[in-house]
Amino acid sequence: MTRRTAIGIDLGTTYSCVAAWFDEHNRVEIIPNLQGNRITPSCVAWDEAQLLVGEAAKNQSTRNPKNTVFDFKCLMGAKFNDGVVRKDIETRHFKVIEGTTGKPMIVCEHESEEKKFSPEEISSLILKNLKEAAEAFLGTTVTDAVITLPAYFSDKQRQATLDAGVLAGLNVMRLINEPTSAAIAYGLDKSADINSPNEKNVLIFDLGGGTFDVSLLKISKAGTITVKAVGGDTHLGGENFDQLMVNHCVDIFKKREKKDMSKNARAMMRLKIACEKAKRDLSSTTQTPIEIDCLYDGMDFTTKFSRAKFEELNAGFFNMCIKHVENCLRDGNMHKRDVHEVVVVGGSTRIPKVQQMLTEFFDGKPLCKSIHANEAVAYGAAVLAANLSGNGNKRVRDLVLSDVTPLSLGVKLSLDHIMGVVIPRNTPVPTVKECVYETLYGTQVSVVCDEYQGEKKYVKDNIFLDTFTLYGIPAAPKGVEKLKVCFSMDDNGILRVSVEIMSTGNKGSITIAMSGDTSKDEIKKMVKKIKQ
């Protein structure tokens, strides 16, 4: 029986990539998109009556900014009224409103009428485009996939990614953290080196277009990858650097011409694209011009942007990256001198200042750039996809992964709404953790168990996961009855929570599976809508 080919997808904030293992070539190959390029812009647009995805969408963005959707990954699994979400929305040129369930909805004009799309639906269009490219390249139907996501994504964001996979017609075999995926690519690349030590401590520094991840891993020559700690920020990356450049140019234009173009979507989109190009140019030159004809109100815009000015504007973000590295090492109980290799991936790691600061932090240790910055994550995902589907050579089949929880998991304690942590962040999975609590008041006969995820003291500042109620507590004075709370998480990210009344053995439980936050009926409606 022929084994089906499973693909690995790096669903990035600014660019996405798809790859697969080829037994006949005994290696992973990056699959080109339908235009023949190895990476695809994570961009979707509606141009009059036509849906455009990838390069076609990005190429028309300056003339159709309000119907061009990009840099929306941070909206997945989020609530519209989250402070950081509202701040992100302010910099987008497409319209975002609050949906009926409180999640952000993207509004575009399609066939002369407004249509609302969830971030999951937009992501599914990109996934579907990558799936079709893989099918054209492989000459067969593709359904199985491993999809990567930022290590610091919450459970809600992971569930939203799964929903997007379902909408795209994919069977998501596994979600894997982006730096862990890059570590697989690194490990496979180095395992063939006979001079390589049997075990290495490796720090993966992954700075992309919209997210930043840092992971500390132990990689053995036998193929075992153990994640020791993760850190990062889901709102830190190249898009932030671009925005500060745009803001600076807007200020220059305002001073020169006494006009504010910040509310003009088309002018701002043209300026953003020019700044993005200038940012890339500054990785290889110390100064570059930004020249745009008729930018706003018939006026041209010209300025010279220096690498020094770029570094000055973004110094706060760069320092934040190093701070996350420090925190990750501390969480992993490791000194920087014990790190054998510092591996950089993600397009924004090409910025000279980022490389300089990282090298200096590790006391002059050269950075490992042997794996492709834009392709390594998809490469590792393809290796895991081959492993899970029984394909690949011995090194692929021998791969063993051990990951950690990116955020703490716990319950609402006491009447003052403090979060009681049951599973601390960076706990290796699979894991089982138990805590014992007392009843909060006299004659209490039931308990509501609210589960949360996050690092804040109060539950209102963390991410609500689910809830259930356990009845049958014997009436007794406050604190007499004891309740045992058990959190169990397997290596697929499935969390099971149970509460047991210790005096009676009566137990209640709930499974918070990585099966999406959306019902099957809602999925069917979404599939029907995106096919229209």
Side-chain angles (χ1 to χ4, degrees), residues 180 183-184 186-188 191 197-202 217-228 387 394-403:
T180 306
I184 293 174
Y186 167 85
L188 202 71
S191 63
N198 289 330
E199 200 168 66
K200 273 187 177 181
N201 297 321
V202 177
L217 311 99
K218 193 176 286 291
I219 302 177
S220 77
K221 202 168 182 179
T224 300
I225 298 175
T226 305
V227 181
K228 308 298 289 183
N387 171 277
K394 186 177 185 301
R395 282 188 293 149
V396 170
R397 293 193 299 272
D398 287 348
L399 175 68
V400 178
L401 279 180
S402 175
D403 221 323

Side-chain angles (χ1 to χ4, degrees), residues 1-2 12 30 96 106 136 166 262 356 364 464 471 482 484:
M1 184 175 72
T2 304
I30 303 298
V96 183
I106 296 161
V166 173
S262 60
Q356 177 197 329
F464 174 73
Y471 298 93
K482 303 293 190 293
K484 181 165 69 176

Side-chain angles (χ1 to χ4, degrees), residues 3 8 15 68 81 156 172 185 209 214 216 242 283 286 296 304 312 339 354 375 404 423 483 489 532:
R3 287 175 293 189
Y15 287 92
T68 302
N81 287 319
K156 294 290 186 184
V172 183
V214 56
L216 186 61
D242 297 345
S283 291
T286 58
Y296 179 66
K304 287 185 178 180
E312 177 192 329
V339 175
V354 171
E375 300 173 1
V404 297
I423 300 180
L483 306 168
M489 178 173 276
Q532 290 176 344

Side-chain angles (χ1 to χ4, degrees), residues 157-218:
Q157 291 169 308
R158 292 167 188 269
Q159 290 176 353
T161 304
L162 276 177
D163 286 341
V166 173
L167 288 170
L170 290 168
N171 168 43
V172 183
M173 305 167 74
R174 186 75 58 86
L175 295 177
I176 180 175
N177 294 336
E178 289 164 2
T180 306
S181 190
I184 293 174
Y186 167 85
L188 202 71
D189 180 53
K190 295 295 182 180
S191 63
D193 183 0
I194 58 172
N195 297 317
S196 178
N198 289 330
E199 200 168 66
K200 273 187 177 181
N201 297 321
V202 177
L203 185 129
I204 306 288
F205 185 96
D206 182 0
L207 184 59
T211 60
F212 170 62
D213 286 311
V214 56
S215 287
L216 186 61
L217 311 99
K218 193 176 286 291

Side-chain angles (χ1 to χ4, degrees), residues 191-369:
S191 63
D193 183 0
I194 58 172
N195 297 317
S196 178
N198 289 330
E199 200 168 66
K200 273 187 177 181
N201 297 321
V202 177
L203 185 129
I204 306 288
F205 185 96
D206 182 0
L207 184 59
T211 60
F212 170 62
D213 286 311
V214 56
S215 287
L216 186 61
L217 311 99
K218 193 176 286 291
I219 302 177
S220 77
K221 202 168 182 179
T224 300
I225 298 175
T226 305
V227 181
K228 308 298 289 183
V230 297
D233 192 326
T234 55
H235 295 80
L236 173 58
E239 291 287 341
N240 301 93
F241 311 150
D242 297 345
Q243 190 59 48
L244 289 186
M245 293 178 73
V246 168
N247 295 345
H248 180 69
C249 290
V250 167
D251 289 341
I252 292 174
F253 189 88
K254 191 184 295 184
K255 288 175 183 176
R256 283 183 190 166
E257 311 296 346
K258 312 302 180 190
K259 290 182 180 289
D260 182 5
M261 64 172 168
S262 60
K263 302 302 180 185
N264 186 291
R266 187 173 181 184
M268 292 296 284
M269 180 65 82
R270 292 180 68 200
L271 183 57
K272 180 188 184 306
I273 289 174
C275 286
E276 185 182 350
K277 180 183 181 300
K279 177 190 67 177
R280 291 196 299 268
D281 291 345
L282 288 172
S283 291
S284 56
T285 185
T286 58
Q287 186 170 275
T288 188
I290 294 178
E291 300 173 339
I292 310 172
D293 295 336
C294 296
L295 176 60
Y296 179 66
D297 210 11
M299 299 175 184
D300 301 339
F301 177 71
T302 303
T303 190
K304 287 185 178 180
F305 219 108
S306 68
R307 184 185 292 179
K309 172 54 71 174
F310 174 76
E311 292 172 356
E312 177 192 329
L313 288 173
N314 289 288
F317 286 131
F318 297 159
N319 288 329
M320 204 181 297
C321 290
I322 300 302
K323 189 69 178 174
H324 283 301
V325 172
E326 291 177 334
N327 293 340
C328 187
L329 287 169
R330 184 171 59 251
D331 291 345
N333 295 314
M334 197 174 295
H335 193 274
K336 59 184 178 182
R337 65 171 173 267
D338 299 321
V339 175
H340 298 103
E341 197 95 76
V342 180
V343 181
V344 292
V345 292
S348 296
T349 58
R350 294 189 176 95
I351 296 171
K353 187 65 175 180
V354 171
Q355 295 187 10
Q356 177 197 329
M357 292 177 70
L358 194 56
T359 301
E360 288 175 355
F361 177 80
F362 282 97
D363 301 324
K365 184 187 294 293
L367 306 179
C368 174
K369 307 172 192 175

